Amino acid sequence: MVRKRPNVLVTGTPGTGKTTTSSTLAEATQLRHINVGDLVKAKNLHDGWDDELDCYIINEDLVCDELEDTMEEGGNIVDYHGCDFFPERWFDLVVVLQTDNTVLYDRLTRRGYSESKLSNNIECEIFQTLLEEAKESYPQDIVLPLRSDSIQDISTNLSTLTEWIRRWQPST
């Protein structure tokens, strides 16, 4: 089955603006926004709680099983801070949002992240862990890093991504 609408993955370290970008983009393009973190909670697609990291232990197989039919249909914007467990065939574009460390620190502090969780996420951003993960998991030509420090950046990104979706053509 050939998809009539593209699937886009929006990934990046927590606090880079994935959900803001994804929900606004979905509204602008009439694509479906799938927040994987919310899906994991709502459908119990996890193996319990990790007290140290203060988050659910995602069951990647359950998540992929849950999303398979939806992804085959196309027209999805998937929002998650990881990307290496999704099947490569699902996505036409992989957006990696990146944020300056001082901006990210302030955002995560406002969210009430513990010192260890804050440190872990800042290190991920410093070492560009999510960008490297995306480059290792998907073809280079579909991985798009975008700066996400300010409202202006988000606005520019939304214009860029809306235009990309408008021009997208199914593979033949």
Side-chain angles (χ1 to χ4, degrees):
M1 184 171 108
V2 176
R3 292 194 302 264
K4 292 180 175 38
R5 304 286 321 257
N7 287 327
V8 177
L9 173 62
V10 179
T11 190
T13 306
T16 55
K18 294 178 301 298
T19 300
T20 299
T21 299
S22 297
S23 60
T24 308
L25 183 62
E27 206 172 286
T29 60
Q30 301 306 301
L31 297 183
R32 180 186 306 115
H33 175 210
I34 300 169
N35 181 314
V36 174
D38 290 348
L39 183 71
V40 166
K41 284 181 237 170
K43 302 248 180 169
N44 289 318
L45 307 175
H46 58 81
D47 296 324
W49 184 259
D50 184 322
D51 287 326
E52 188 177 326
L53 294 176
D54 194 30
C55 63
Y56 286 104
I57 302 164
I58 185 173
N59 183 313
E60 297 170 354
D61 291 333
L62 290 177
V63 170
C64 289
D65 289 346
E66 179 69 28
L67 291 175
E68 183 69 43
D69 292 342
T70 302
M71 297 306 292
E72 289 298 318
E73 291 170 19
N76 301 293
I77 300 168
V78 176
D79 159 5
Y80 193 60
H81 61 262
C83 67
D84 61 349
F85 68 93
F86 297 117
E88 181 183 323
R89 71 181 185 283
W90 280 5
F91 297 107
D92 303 293
L93 182 65
V94 177
V95 177
V96 182
L97 297 179
Q98 298 179 298
T99 301
D100 178 85
N101 298 328
T102 55
V103 173
L104 187 61
Y105 183 90
D106 291 343
R107 288 178 187 172
L108 297 179
T109 300
R110 281 194 302 272
R111 288 185 181 183
Y113 276 36
S114 68
E115 196 57 45
S116 64
K117 193 168 179 177
L118 196 85
S119 172
N120 186 2
N121 284 295
I122 296 295
E123 284 178 20
C124 281
E125 192 65 9
I126 290 169
F127 295 115
Q128 299 189 347
T129 304
L130 275 299
L131 179 59
E132 290 308 310
E133 186 177 293
K135 287 179 175 178
E136 290 170 9
S137 302
Y138 301 95
Q140 296 282 322
D141 62 331
I142 72 164
V143 176
L144 177 64
L146 293 175
R147 178 66 40 204
S148 185
D149 292 335
S150 65
I151 298 294
Q152 180 58 50
D153 289 339
I154 292 169
S155 179
T156 301
N157 294 344
L158 288 170
S159 295
T160 299
L161 296 171
T162 300
E163 182 64 16
W164 184 92
I165 289 166
R166 190 184 69 74
R167 292 176 178 238
W168 180 82
Q169 295 290 317
S171 306
T172 51

